[in-house]
Amino acid sequence: QVQLVESGGGLVQPGGSLRISCAASGFTFSMYAMSWYRQAPGKGRELVATITSAGGSRNYADSVKGRFTISRDNAKNTLYLQMNSLKPEDTAVYYCNRRINLLDWGQGTQVTVSS
C-alpha cells in the first residue's frame, strides 16, 4: 500500500524554525526524486523544494531559497524539510510527493507562522 505521511507541523513565531518529515512506504523511495509542496488558504498547491533520488541535487522556489533545506534519508524512507527564518506567508499545509508520477496526496501537515 503506497502511503505518504507528513508530520512535524505546528505553530511557530515569525523568525522561528521547524522541521517537518514525510514517511514514505509502498514504493522504492530511493529511486525517485521527491518534493515538498504547500497550499495556503485560498491558493493553489505550490512546489517548494525538490531533491534528486540520491540527494545530490536540490532546487527551491525563490520564496524559500536560503531559508529552507530539503533532505532525505533513503535508509529510513523519509523526506525532511528544515524551515528557518519562517515568515507569516509560509503558513500553509505542507505535503510531500514524488516530483513526477505523483501519488495520492497524504493528509499534509499544518504549519502556522504567527505571533
Side-chain angles (χ1 to χ4, degrees):
Q1 177 185 359
V2 176
Q3 200 170 14
L4 298 167
V5 180
E6 300 90 350
S7 63
L11 173 64
V12 61
Q13 292 187 342
S17 297
L18 203 60
R19 188 176 85 154
I20 57 177
S21 302
C22 166
S25 59
F27 66 101
T28 308
F29 179 76
S30 61
M31 290 183 62
Y32 290 90
M34 295 293 295
S35 295
W36 284 101
Y37 303 78
R38 68 185 181 186
Q39 188 165 18
K43 296 188 177 181
R45 195 164 282 156
E46 171 191 20
L47 176 64
V48 174
T50 298
I51 186 168
T52 51
S53 57
S57 181
R58 309 169 190 190
N59 287 289
Y60 300 93
D62 287 344
S63 57
V64 306
K65 202 170 293 183
R67 300 188 297 120
F68 289 12
T69 302
I70 187 172
S71 62
R72 65 192 298 160
D73 184 336
N74 285 344
K76 295 182 178 179
N77 290 348
T78 303
L79 183 72
Y80 302 100
L81 187 67
Q82 176 68 43
M83 302 181 289
N84 298 329
S85 303
L86 281 160
K87 303 176 181 180
E89 51 264 43
D90 295 319
T91 295
V93 180
Y94 285 72
Y95 303 87
C96 66
N97 212 317
R98 300 196 303 209
R99 181 62 185 96
I100 58 173
N101 297 325
L102 292 175
L103 301 169
D104 287 343
W105 296 96
Q107 84 287 350
T109 188
Q110 175 71 49
V111 173
T112 302
V113 185
S114 175
S115 55

